[in-house]
Amino acid sequence: MAQDKGYLDQSGNQVVAIVKNLDRDVERGEDTVMLGYGLVLLAPAFAPLLPPSILLPLMAIAFAVSATAARLHFYKMARKLSVALDELESRDKQTFKPITDVFAEHPQQTLAVAFNPLKNLKRSAKSMLGGLMINPFWGPIFYMLGVQFVEDKQLVVLNKAVIAVEDKVMPIVLRDDWAE
């Protein structure tokens, strides 16, 4: 049901429902990014079992999958918010301006742009330098880590915007009950 109506909830105040659901989705996006970091941090446990030529590309793949999932989730949140805002009055839409500004500042790009080393020359150069200093197999890991950082920054900015809107619309009593 939440998928069909975006973030709308028919049980009460629509603005509060949108903020709660959006906050929940932002946390899920941050969890996705943290899962990628956590999987890579677990890689040394597999070092005795797998050679670096296998383990290090798997670490880069873990970052790539995590960053891709976080990016797709970010744009899914933008679509769901757009659907929800279409059904609100104009004065309620103004409440969400900080959040819609974040989505407007981060327009949807194809993943080919993020993963294309020729379109991200600075990141590519840093990755190659890091790979030369440590091990050539670390170059892709550094590159994917840069992609992961971009997705993490987007979610942090979005989380700050959601918190700002949450502080405006949600009464303190409601936030305390929700935190339990």
Side-chain angles (χ1 to χ4, degrees):
M1 182 77 175
Q3 297 280 348
D4 299 332
K5 293 289 186 181
Y7 290 120
L8 292 177
D9 183 5
Q10 302 303 328
S11 63
N13 185 344
Q14 295 299 328
V15 175
V16 172
I18 292 170
V19 171
K20 279 184 180 181
N21 290 324
L22 189 60
D23 187 41
R24 183 194 67 228
D25 272 359
V26 170
E27 288 175 11
R28 286 182 183 161
E30 289 173 339
D31 290 345
T32 302
V33 171
M34 288 300 130
L35 178 64
Y37 291 136
L39 288 174
V40 171
L41 288 174
L42 284 174
F46 297 103
L49 304 172
L50 298 171
S53 61
I54 294 173
L55 184 61
L56 295 176
L58 287 176
M59 291 169 58
I61 290 170
F63 276 142
V65 169
S66 173
T68 300
R71 175 169 291 198
L72 294 175
H73 188 71
F74 183 83
Y75 295 123
K76 181 180 175 184
M77 287 186 289
R79 284 190 306 272
K80 287 170 68 175
L81 181 64
S82 176
V83 167
L85 290 180
D86 287 343
E87 296 190 24
L88 291 179
E89 297 175 11
S90 62
R91 65 179 171 84
D92 290 337
K93 289 180 184 179
Q94 285 300 99
T95 305
F96 293 99
K97 182 139 176 57
I99 297 170
T100 56
D101 288 347
V102 170
F103 287 126
E105 289 171 7
H106 301 280
Q108 187 167 1
Q109 298 175 345
T110 63
L111 291 170
V113 172
F115 292 130
N116 188 348
L118 298 176
K119 296 202 181 222
N120 300 293
L121 295 176
K122 185 176 178 182
R123 185 182 308 144
S124 298
K126 288 179 180 180
S127 301
M128 287 191 311
L129 180 62
L132 290 174
M133 292 173 54
I134 298 174
N135 181 338
F137 287 112
W138 276 84
I141 294 171
F142 290 139
Y143 188 83
M144 289 298 120
L145 183 61
V147 173
Q148 183 93 346
F149 285 159
V150 169
E151 301 307 321
D152 195 15
K153 286 178 188 177
Q154 280 185 325
L155 288 168
V156 166
V157 170
L158 181 60
N159 194 25
K160 287 179 182 179
V162 169
I163 289 170
V165 171
E166 189 177 56
D167 286 342
K168 283 195 307 190
V169 300
M170 294 182 73
I172 293 173
V173 175
L174 183 59
R175 270 188 269 148
D176 290 340
D177 290 342
W178 184 39
E180 293 176 355

